[in-house]
Amino acid sequence: MVFDEGGGCLSRLFDFAGGTGMGYSQPEPLLSKDKVALPSNLMRKALPRWPRLSEPEMVRHYTWLSRRNFGIDTGFYPLGSCTMKHNPRVNEVIAQLPGIADIHPHQPEHHLQGLLSIYHEMQHMLAICSGMDDVTLQPVAGAQGEFTAVRCVQEYFRKRGETQRTKVIVPDSAHGTNPASAAMAGYDIVEIPSLENGRIDLEALKAVVDDTVALMMITNPNTLGLFETDVPEASEIVHAAGGQMYYDGANFNAILGRTSPGLMGFDAVHFNLHKTFSQPHGGGGPGSGPIGVKSHLAEFLPSPVVKKRPIVGDEAKFAVDDMWYTWYEPEHTIGKVQQWHGNAGAIIRCWAYYRRYGYGLKDMSEHAVLNANYLRHALHREAKKADVSHMFVDGAEAEVAKHEFTISLQPAKEAVGVSAMDVAKGLLDLGYMAPTVYFPLVVPECMMFEPTETESRDTLDTFAKDFAQVLKVDAQTLHEAPITTPVRRVDEVYAARNLCLKHPFDEE
Ligand SMILES: *Cc1c(COP(=O)(O)O)cnc(C)c1O
């Protein structure tokens, strides 16, 4: 509760505003001011300058804002690599149950048995899906999961006295977060080129592997949407030199229930729960990036993880099943990577998604792969019909893609001066979120599509037709696109360099 110098709590703002133009009300404070002795240097000197608006004005403002936004609930969102799937509303219902939403993470264990049992089940389920032995749910993003795992590996080698291991290997198709995470942990990055067919070059790998390598980081299927068939060999090469293998699990949507990083020979992996298990994301969060590790790394995980043990004494009164769930601190823990216990809301929603599927998770990944391949063929089919098939080629010559695929608009660029960015902006005018552009970097004028399993065949067919129509639009018009969106083409570099995130009070 914040008090102003005058001795009132914030609800006094009502009086200040004369009871008009206030679109909110504050509850009465639970404790009177003299019972909460806040140091005077922490007290507000002046009332906060909040905008004074009535409730209808507030409602209109936020509704207006929401209508200027694009989201998975407003249209097709084939943003490759990001796995934008429908977020079932049942997840929200479960996350908002009072026994989940109204607890504080600092409550004692016997208050938290329900939540801890969910955490434990989620850890267990992720361990099974990934073929790992232990899991932490603490990291709140895939990138943070990567960093956490890299740190566990680093401590593992420190403890073994192998401090000469200063290098991390990444293929050139890797997501930018892989080298970034390794560099943050202080490693030198060694990039190896991919083969013509987009896959790992084992000879290039052999050439750089020695006893100074700590880790190799691989995404499988890789960022071109191709399954890396040589991963077991890569893993043998790295392990033979004493290194560790890291699996970037952002693309789990393609393999869940089919195979696992454990089977492929990996030692550690992260999940992007917000991608694979449906959790609204984008615009910076909230996410969840649990990691799984093999047993030799388990005692380095961030603390705490949830374990279960037999019930003792009158714990039975509070237990939710025949075991007791308890926080556990791994012996050589790298510490904490997040306050409390990760993004509980995101973990619960993703747990709800997984419980709804159960063993059907296997069908989920199958449908994701089917939809991606269907869309890839539909794009070619519609392009042919519209006579624009010369405008793009596949980004990787694969018979079957996994849950996402790339195309290159280099031919369009050369023939008529239309870039991947122009086509992306043209799609916005037709009411679609554009696919990912210019990633992965190894494909020129790249566009990357990921429809996910939650889209219908009708949606994919209509999108493919519309895509072909955009390719028919003349270059000059496409350079001007988008024209129907609230904001036209923005200068992204300027926006990133000159962040403006606060209300410009002083200019009023
Ligand atoms: C999304 C993604 C990441 C990073 O995950 P965040 O949750 O955005 O931090 C890492 N690798 C790949 C391949 C990804 O697609």
Side-chain angles (χ1 to χ4, degrees), residues 81 141-144 146 175 177-178 219 223 248 250-251 270 272 274-275:
S81 186
Q144 198 186 16
E146 291 169 25
H175 194 269
T177 52
N178 292 184
T219 309
T223 54
D248 177 329
N251 293 343
H270 83 258
N272 297 66
H274 46 286
K275 294 180 182 172

Side-chain angles (χ1 to χ4, degrees), residues 246-260:
Y246 182 77
Y247 185 95
D248 177 329
N251 293 343
F252 248 106
N253 221 38
I255 63 149
L256 211 63
R258 296 264 138 203
T259 178
S260 79

Side-chain angles (χ1 to χ4, degrees), residues 17 33 66 138 165 198 204 216 238 240 328 350 352 390 402 431 451 473:
K33 189 206 167 198
S66 75
Q138 214 176 88
R165 296 192 183 271
M216 175 169 196
V238 174
Y328 168 77
C350 297
H390 55 284
K402 281 286 174 265
V473 175

